[in-house]
Amino acid sequence: MTDSLTLRRPDDWHLHLRDGAMLEAVLPETARHFARAIIMPNLVPPVVTAAQAAAYRERILKALPEGMDFTPLMTLYLTEETDPEDVTAAYANGIAQAVKLYPAGATTNSASGVRDFDRVRPVLEAMAAIGMPLCVHGEVTDPEIDIFDREAVFIDRVLDPIRRATPGLRVVMEHITTAEGVAYVRANPTGLGATITTHHLVINRNHILVGGIKPHYYCLPVAKRESHRLALREAAMSGDARFFLGTDSAPHVDPLKECACGCAGCFTATNTLSILAEVFEQDVRLDRLEGFTSLHGPAFYGLPPNEARITLTKGALVAYPAKIETGAGPVTVFDPGFPLHWHVS
Ligand code: DOR
Ligand code: ZN
């Protein structure tokens, strides 16, 4: 039985750090274990320009506790006014690694996102020309479409047409939640990858709704039925390099989760690696964990994998706080619903 595992230090290819007091509190939770992360730009107001991304990067580095080694990889929030030249310069100068597409109204702070996809065509063409990845929140916002179908419909109505119209555009389907998402990646061998979150490997929609509503399991895209969770697990553990970890760890203070109209987001930074080790062990796939957490993401983004290593050791129960205290209020840590035994060092 394996009880110790050494991996290259992982990266998180989709992370929300927020700003101010929240940033200060959540950043160490990620930096403790992860070397790099793709930082989501959905602040209020959003991080749209290269100058805003550079300033946000500075605020992140300033909030990083002494002695911690962490590199934020910045993204630009795509709007219908985004200037293609600003984007290409940000990529060339190393200020931003990717652009984030939020359909307007799809999720938290997405009001400035894209309504008319034709209006961002020049930006997408410029990105395709230089190989800059587009990170996509893949849900339609059409009120007629059932929330559980919004990812699958987005693939057909929006993503596939965009990819066909923009040859060479490199796309990351962020936080996929469906068997359709997995199948679309598999059917399109070039220029397409997908991140999978920790929580979508653990919960299905029953966890949110059965036996009382569980606001801390509510996120977007919302967790789907069990067959989809199993498809995600199979993809994450398949060894296919197009699937990699993006936690989408998304802190909201408890009063904004535990209320009549709760925010979407699961905060998993604190215990993500212990959960993933447990999940891969459950499926007898610990040998595939390093690819998912530490190798496939860098390969997609054209970056070297980290040289540093972490060790996961199986032992007594892993203790983690139910909540972390932040200057903005308490944030509940994701509870996977099973005990954790894998310690990270
Ligand atoms: O659950 C989510 N939370 N999904 C998103 O797409 C956004 C995120 C957030 O920023 O809170
Ligand atoms: Zn996100």
Side-chain angles (χ1 to χ4, degrees), residues 23-64:
L23 165 64
E24 268 180 43
V26 300
L27 177 59
E29 300 298 296
T30 287
R32 194 171 293 134
H33 298 150
F34 291 86
R36 300 170 289 198
I38 284 275
I39 310 301
M40 287 298 119
N42 63 333
L43 304 182
V44 189
V47 178
V48 174
T49 65
Q52 288 166 339
Y56 184 30
R57 184 173 186 279
E58 287 311 305
R59 297 200 296 282
I60 294 168
L61 291 175
K62 203 161 156 238
L64 189 66

Side-chain angles (χ1 to χ4, degrees), residues 123-252:
V123 181
L124 301 184
E125 275 163 14
M127 290 170 64
I130 58 172
M132 185 179 194
L134 179 71
C135 297
V136 176
H137 183 110
E139 289 190 285
V140 290
T141 53
D142 181 347
E144 303 278 298
I145 304 295
D146 189 278
I147 189 166
F148 292 103
D149 298 333
R150 287 180 173 199
E151 181 172 298
V153 173
F154 182 89
I155 293 169
D156 291 342
R157 279 197 196 167
V158 182
L159 182 59
D160 196 57
I162 285 180
R163 290 188 62 251
R164 283 177 194 280
T166 326
L169 181 65
R170 307 185 67 238
V171 171
V172 184
M173 294 171 69
E174 300 283 47
H175 43 51
I176 55 169
T177 58
T178 59
E180 289 88 342
V182 171
Y184 187 73
V185 173
R186 291 214 166 111
N188 292 272
T190 52
L192 190 58
T195 56
I196 301 178
T197 75
T198 304
H199 49 282
H200 288 116
L201 296 174
V202 173
I203 60 167
N204 62 33
R205 62 197 197 178
N206 281 8
H207 292 86
I208 310 171
L209 296 170
V210 173
I213 195 159
K214 314 292 190 315
H216 296 291
Y217 290 154
Y218 173 62
C219 66
L220 287 171
V222 71
K224 310 296 191 293
R225 63 170 66 238
E226 178 65 358
S227 56
H228 294 288
R229 186 184 73 95
L230 295 177
L232 298 174
R233 279 176 83 119
E234 198 279 319
M237 297 181 208
S238 64
D240 185 331
R242 292 170 296 178
F243 299 104
F244 43 92
L245 175 64
T247 67
D248 198 13
S249 181
H252 293 277

Side-chain angles (χ1 to χ4, degrees), residues 9-92:
R9 203 158 162 234
D11 303 304
D12 185 346
W13 299 96
H14 182 128
L15 177 67
H16 297 269
L17 286 177
R18 317 298 191 204
D19 216 340
M22 183 64 91
L23 165 64
E24 268 180 43
V26 300
L27 177 59
E29 300 298 296
T30 287
R32 194 171 293 134
H33 298 150
F34 291 86
R36 300 170 289 198
I38 284 275
I39 310 301
M40 287 298 119
N42 63 333
L43 304 182
V44 189
V47 178
V48 174
T49 65
Q52 288 166 339
Y56 184 30
R57 184 173 186 279
E58 287 311 305
R59 297 200 296 282
I60 294 168
L61 291 175
K62 203 161 156 238
L64 189 66
E66 205 47 56
M68 278 189 157
D69 181 13
F70 176 74
T71 304
L73 305 173
M74 308 309 291
T75 59
L76 303 177
Y77 186 118
L78 183 61
T79 74
E80 292 180 7
E81 280 72 50
T82 293
D83 173 5
E85 280 180 24
D86 186 58
V87 169
T88 50
Y91 190 61

